[in-house]
């Protein structure tokens, strides 16, 4: 017989939910009405759990305390203030995650994100601490252990030992099963179940029910590492938004492709993970009236699809100073083609002096009868305009 207690107080009912990603939680009915708040320790058979009472989901009814216990500090849903990070070598993902954990009252353990460093800048929006964590770890799984410590990284998958469970019920259509388990530590998320199953099944999430009369483990063994609810919501969102293509996408210039005005560009996608192809040809929107550029091959640019329309890709952004291809091959200002060229300090120039501009014979007052070309170099220019 498995019994559950919380801070030593007996429980009439104990239901522990362990999702694939995120913190576990437990709904607890005590046999009496002890005053419980803050950090507590719960036991369910061999399981020992460190969590925090959710003050917004706790109270009494019929002389019984009823409450919800949330993993760790119960703070991953806490709202954090906005914060900015900068590091020319790349902002550390661990630093951002540690800050979020500390401000949320959580403990961060093993940390294996998709990338150790983010870009040179990271802007944390105000919002739930969990959103910050999920953003900086790059799609890697995260979860809170029974000890209340948050782990970033895939759960280990291990075959359940022989005799660890008794299969009481199974529905292969919904990929759910009900197990009888004497030692609740023997089956968890990541356990691979084989006995009495047609094929090995990996537990992705589970619910443990404990009462004075019985203990049961309900498991879901779907293909996704996300929870059933998260998978369903994601599918709905993706289906609702797949007709529009919003966002900013990085591309690299292959070559200029315009036949007449040389203003369209062939582009190579810089991230295949986005599922976008190379583009040719694409028009530019420089963002400044009267400006057009012949871009240097290799230049990094930003592409947007106007109004989310997949038929209207446009270049709307360009790499900053010092970036690949910052200096274009040619830049036209207020030119419709064939306009006069600009000159810079140090450029060689030719100046034509028109007829009748200077004396060719001082004694007779004879002016030059023909234009005269003079070659030279520009030695001074504007103090407020620079041309590369």
């Amino acid at each position: 017989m498995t019994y559950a207690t919380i801070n030593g107080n007996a429980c009439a009912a104990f239901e522990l939910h362990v999702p694939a990603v995120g913190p576990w939680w437990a709904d607890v009915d005590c046999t009496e009405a002890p005053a419980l708040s803050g950090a507590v320790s719960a036991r369910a058979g061999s399981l020992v759990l460190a969590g925090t009472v959710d003050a917004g989901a706790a109270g009494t009814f019929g002389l019984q305390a009823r409450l919800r216990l949330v993993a760790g500090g119960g703070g991953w849903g806490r709202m954090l203030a906005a914060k900015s990070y900068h590091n020319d070598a790349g902002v550390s993902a661990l630093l951002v995650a540690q800050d979020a954990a500390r401000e949320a009252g959580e403990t961060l353990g093993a940390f294996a994100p998709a990338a150790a460093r983010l870009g040179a800048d990271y802007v944390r929006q105000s919002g739930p601490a969990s959103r910050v964590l999920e953003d900086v770890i790059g799609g890697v799984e995260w979860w809170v252990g029974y000890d209340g410590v948050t782990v970033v990284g895939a759960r280990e998958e291990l075959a359940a030992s022989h005799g660890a469970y008794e299969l009481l019920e199974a529905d292969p259509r919904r990929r759910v099963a009900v197990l009888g388990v004497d030692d609740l530590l023997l089956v968890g998320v990541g356990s691979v179940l084989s006995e009495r199953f047609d094929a090995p099944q990996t537990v992705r999430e589970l619910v443990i029910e404990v009462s004075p009369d019985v203990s049961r483990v309900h498991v879901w063994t779907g293909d996704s590492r996300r929870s059933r609810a998260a998978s369903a919501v994601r599918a709905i969102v993706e289906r609702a938004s797949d007709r529009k293509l919003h966002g900013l996408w990085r591309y690299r210039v292959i070559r200029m492709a315009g036949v007449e005005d040389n203003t369209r560009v062939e582009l190579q996608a810089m991230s295949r993970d986005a599922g976008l192809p190379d583009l040719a040809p694409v028009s530019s929107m420089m963002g400044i009236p009267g400006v057009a550029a012949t871009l240097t091959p290799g230049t990094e640019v930003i592409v947007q699809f106007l109004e989310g329309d997949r038929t209207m890709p446009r270049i709307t952004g360009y790499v900053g100073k010092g970036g690949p291809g910052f200096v274009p091959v040619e830049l036209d200002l207020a030119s419709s083609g064939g306009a006069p060229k600009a000159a810079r300090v140090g450029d060689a120039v030719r100046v034509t002096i028109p007829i009748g501009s200077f004396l060719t014979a001082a004694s007779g007052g004879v002016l030059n009868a023909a234009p005269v070309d003079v070659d030279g170099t520009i030695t001074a220019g504007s103090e407020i305009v620079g041309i590369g």
Side-chain angles (χ1 to χ4, degrees):
M1 190 71 67
T2 300
Y3 296 96
T5 62
I6 181 167
N7 273 11
N9 299 281
C11 300
F14 186 93
E15 186 174 278
L16 173 65
H17 297 254
V18 186
V21 174
W24 53 261
W25 73 93
D27 288 335
V28 182
D29 293 352
C30 296
T31 58
E32 298 179 349
L36 297 170
S37 62
V40 295
S41 176
R43 289 179 176 269
S46 55
L47 287 184
V48 179
L49 303 107
T52 299
V53 174
D54 181 353
T60 59
F61 176 77
L63 300 180
Q64 284 185 301
R66 295 184 173 183
L67 56 90
R68 175 163 293 168
L69 179 64
V70 182
W76 282 118
R78 184 172 301 168
M79 299 296 289
L80 302 184
K83 188 173 183 178
S84 178
Y85 297 82
H86 176 82
N87 186 333
D88 288 338
V91 174
S92 166
L94 177 60
L95 172 64
V96 178
Q98 285 176 331
D99 283 354
R102 182 181 63 257
E103 294 173 38
E106 297 290 352
T107 301
L108 194 61
F111 189 76
R117 292 195 174 273
L118 312 173
D121 294 279
Y122 181 79
V123 178
R124 187 181 85 183
Q125 287 180 283
S126 58
S130 60
R131 186 175 69 185
V132 178
L133 180 65
E134 291 172 353
D135 189 42
V136 301
I137 63 179
V140 174
E141 296 173 50
W142 73 277
W143 45 283
V144 183
Y146 293 143
D147 59 359
V149 175
T150 298
V151 176
V152 172
R155 295 180 188 258
E156 189 175 14
E157 295 185 1
L158 295 173
S161 59
H162 179 72
Y165 64 90
E166 178 185 0
L167 181 61
L168 304 177
E169 185 180 343
D171 186 345
R173 296 164 301 182
R174 297 165 51 221
R175 304 290 293 273
V176 295
V178 181
L179 312 177
V181 179
D182 291 329
D183 186 346
L184 297 176
L185 280 174
L186 296 181
V187 175
V189 176
S191 293
V192 181
L193 312 178
S194 298
E195 293 183 51
R196 296 191 60 196
F197 286 94
D198 295 335
Q201 305 288 312
T202 302
V203 176
R204 299 304 181 192
E205 64 181 45
L206 57 82
V207 177
I208 298 174
E209 295 179 347
V210 178
S211 70
D213 301 318
V214 67
S215 62
R216 293 286 184 266
V217 179
H218 301 255
V219 300
W220 177 63
T221 60
D223 295 326
S224 173
R225 288 183 175 270
R226 303 188 185 98
S227 68
R228 284 176 289 179
S231 298
V233 170
R234 179 178 287 268
I236 292 171
V237 171
E238 289 177 348
R239 183 66 187 91
S241 61
D242 61 5
R243 288 177 294 178
K244 295 290 185 179
L245 187 55
H246 295 290
L248 304 175
W249 312 98
R250 293 189 305 139
Y251 274 81
R252 181 182 293 111
V253 172
I254 299 175
R255 64 179 65 87
M256 300 302 295
V259 176
E260 297 179 356
D261 55 8
N262 201 41
T263 59
R264 292 183 293 173
V265 190
E266 292 185 15
L267 300 172
Q268 179 185 55
M270 294 184 64
S271 174
R272 295 301 179 186
D273 292 341
L276 293 175
D278 297 344
L279 301 175
V282 176
S283 297
S284 296
M285 298 178 67
M286 298 297 293
I288 303 175
V291 176
T294 300
L295 300 177
T296 303
T299 299
E300 291 184 14
V301 297
I302 298 297
V303 171
Q304 288 180 269
F305 293 81
L306 304 185
E307 300 172 358
D309 191 332
R310 298 168 186 271
T311 68
M312 293 195 295
R314 297 291 186 272
I315 299 173
T316 60
Y318 303 84
V319 70
K321 186 174 182 179
F326 170 69
V327 179
V329 174
E330 183 177 335
L331 187 66
D332 290 337
L333 303 177
S335 168
S336 58
K341 302 297 184 181
R344 308 162 300 172
V345 172
D347 283 352
V349 294
R350 172 168 291 179
V351 177
T352 300
I353 300 175
I355 297 172
S357 297
F358 62 92
L359 294 173
T360 58
S363 59
V366 180
L367 298 174
N368 60 303
V372 178
D373 290 336
V374 179
D375 293 328
T377 301
I378 296 178
T379 58
S382 171
E383 294 296 329
I384 58 174
V385 178
I387 303 177

